[in-house]
Amino acid sequence: MRSLLFVWAAILLIRAAPAKKLPTPPDIVAAAPASAWKTVPADDLLVMDLADGGRIVIQLAPAFAPVHVGNIKALARGNYWKGATVYRVQDNYVAQWGLNESDKPWPTGVTAKPPAEYTRPFKGLSVKPLGYPDPYAPGTGFWNGWPIAYNAKANWANLAHCYGTVGVGRDLSPDTGTGGELYAVIGNAPRQLDRVIAVVGRVVDGIDHLSSLPRGSEALGFYKDKAQYVPIANIRLASDMPVAERPAYEYLDTQSASFARYLQVRANRHDDFYIRPAGGVDLCNVQVPVRKKS
Amino acid sequence: MRSLLFVWAAILLIRAAPAKKLPTPPDIVAAAPASAWKTVPADDLLVMDLADGGRIVIQLAPAFAPVHVGNIKALARGNYWKGATVYRVQDNYVAQWGLNESDKPWPTGVTAKPPAEYTRPFKGLSVKPLGYPDPYAPGTGFWNGWPIAYNAKANWANLAHCYGTVGVGRDLSPDTGTGGELYAVIGNAPRQLDRVIAVVGRVVDGIDHLSSLPRGSEALGFYKDKAQYVPIANIRLASDMPVAERPAYEYLDTQSASFARYLQVRANRHDDFYIRPAGGVDLCNVQVPVRKKS
């Protein structure tokens, strides 16, 4: 029995809690004081329930794409997505949902042709810099819990396309997408999409309900048959749900000392498993801690 | 009908073939001459067939982890993996397979305690440099079709942990893993694993059979019940399969002019969709083209 346990331990890729060594990122998150956590406003939480019961929760980013996020809120409140499905799942790229080939009219409050909210001004953002080089932008770091890329001199900033990032499907320029068709990144960070598409948020819970879906066999991962479409029961703002039913989330304040330590250790793992600290980390590998509020 | 088609086009995230614009990466791959492609040796192709018929094909990398790769070939030839399963799927990280809690003896030819093949000497490798900064290593680029990170001065190089990279599950140091338990990356490139684990190859086909599996609910993505384990019918080297049944693959020579152009365009997408070329690209977002030989 002992040898069986040993063998089971031997196949663990990473040990969960090394003893008497430097703290791991989860250790630092667990030790962060309550004051280091910030609650996501209920009005910025989009709750998508699949017909099979799987729940995906998205934090919206009105500070970066106010018109598109306004549209998404109007679409949710106007029950636009009744009958929506996940109709495209492309491996190592995105899962996309909405009404697909629909010509349903937009509900009240929707701006049909939003401006190109691909960047916003950098000035005025209090940023925790990543501190390591990035191939896509002169600066990267974190603002209010979000991974961002920026150019201070040219005065632009954008939400980075990381795993879980949610963006707006669009046609060719100058179309920017209205917000009815959304995608979530389910693969390696496609940073080449930064600044060419409107990012409206990120999945904070339940992304496995998207990432584990069968991949579509058609070009770009579209499902071939409508029978493969994954039905969505409803998409609501948490603020429109009965208070007792609302999910709530909090994220580690990226200006906190806890986050600074977390970032440092993400870049310099040095416990029993990580025998060689990397001395650096990629923006999208930092993964700002987000947790459900109980 | 025309408007329906228009709306359908409108939800495409990326148009497949823009006209009268700069070539896209797929355009360059399609135009590459036969001389720019190199065949993967059949002795370096590990063919894993799931019981449900899904096939995953892995290219092994004997130049980087010769003892571990030798072990994997001996394990395949010795039918060690009879009864193996995929027993761990952790979202945005890895899928792992093997015999799990087994104390089955190693077949002939297996080195039970291989050396730490986490890096190899850089000297002697003809590398196509990426040309953009990387947070994990002073140098990155491509050697013989593989994405690598390196330090020329310190004379080390390693296969980078990108989407699809296959490595050897191990216990804590100094254990390096024997090769019986393998994982494939199914999420954002976990480059923090570079140089702390033996990388033995990459999935060149069928990774969706791993990436779309249900995620395990236990710590580190282990499945809770053995009933959830995904059975593997067999794992063989292509060179041990009947010639008529062997799959064959070729990759774009990373020293070719076609690859240089491909790399340039991956870093500077500029077609109808990509209105702002990034001017850079991450090592793991280049994705060396690999295709099935017919």
Side-chain angles (χ1 to χ4, degrees), chain A residues 5 26 42 46 52 97 114 117 159 175 180 200 244 289:
Chain A
L5 283 173
L46 194 68
D52 71 4
W97 64 91
E117 300 176 310
L159 292 181
D175 182 275
V200 290

Side-chain angles (χ1 to χ4, degrees), chain A residues 24-40 59 126 128 141-147 202 204 249-266 286-293:
Chain A
T24 63
D27 292 339
I28 292 165
V29 173
S35 60
W37 294 89
K38 289 191 162 185
T39 301
V40 178
Q59 178 184 6
S126 291
K128 166 72 179 172
F142 303 88
W143 172 78
N144 209 20
W146 297 94
R202 62 175 162 189
V204 292
Y249 292 84
E250 56 189 1
Y251 59 93
L252 193 60
D253 180 359
T254 43
Q255 296 289 357
S256 68
S258 296
F259 183 80
R261 182 83 178 112
Y262 173 83
L263 173 57
Q264 184 188 36
V265 172
R266 290 290 294 180
V286 174
Q287 296 162 336
V288 175
V290 181
R291 67 185 183 189
K292 200 164 186 179
K293 274 186 89 165

Side-chain angles (χ1 to χ4, degrees), chain A residues 68 71-72 75 80-81 97 106 111 114 168-169 176-182:
Chain A
H68 284 88
N71 276 3
I72 289 165
L75 292 166
Y80 174 80
W81 283 300
W97 64 91
W106 303 115
T111 302
V168 175
T176 70
T178 303
E181 313 301 319
L182 300 173

Side-chain angles (χ1 to χ4, degrees), chain B residues 18-171:
Chain B
K20 294 179 293 177
K21 288 279 174 175
L22 289 179
T24 64
D27 293 338
I28 292 164
V29 173
S35 61
W37 294 88
K38 288 191 163 186
T39 300
V40 178
D43 196 44
D44 287 346
L45 278 181
L46 193 68
V47 181
M48 176 160 99
D49 288 323
L50 301 181
D52 70 5
R55 172 168 286 185
I56 297 123
V57 183
I58 294 162
Q59 178 184 5
L60 298 171
F64 277 79
V67 180
H68 284 88
V69 168
N71 276 1
I72 289 165
K73 291 182 179 183
L75 292 166
R77 290 189 168 128
N79 203 20
Y80 174 79
W81 283 301
K82 187 177 168 62
T85 61
V86 184
Y87 51 81
R88 174 191 179 197
V89 184
Q90 185 171 0
D91 195 64
N92 191 20
Y93 201 40
V94 298
Q96 188 168 323
W97 64 91
L99 291 180
N100 208 352
E101 312 180 28
S102 163
D103 51 4
K104 191 169 176 176
W106 303 116
T108 307
V110 170
T111 302
K113 295 188 184 302
E117 301 177 308
Y118 305 154
T119 63
R120 58 151 285 157
F122 175 73
K123 275 178 196 143
L125 298 182
S126 291
V127 173
K128 166 72 181 173
L130 178 72
Y132 304 104
D134 182 84
Y136 295 94
T140 59
F142 303 88
W143 172 78
N144 210 19
W146 297 92
I148 69 168
Y150 56 87
N151 184 328
K153 199 174 166 188
N155 194 30
W156 55 254
N158 67 273
L159 292 181
H161 268 84
C162 296
Y163 191 88
T165 291
V166 175
V168 176
R170 67 165 171 90
D171 193 10

Side-chain angles (χ1 to χ4, degrees), chain B residues 222-241:
Chain B
F222 283 85
Y223 288 129
K224 186 171 186 176
D225 301 313
K226 289 195 174 180
Q228 298 171 291
Y229 289 10
V230 180
I232 297 169
N234 56 62
I235 302 180
R236 295 172 288 177
L237 288 166
S239 52
D240 290 336
M241 297 169 68

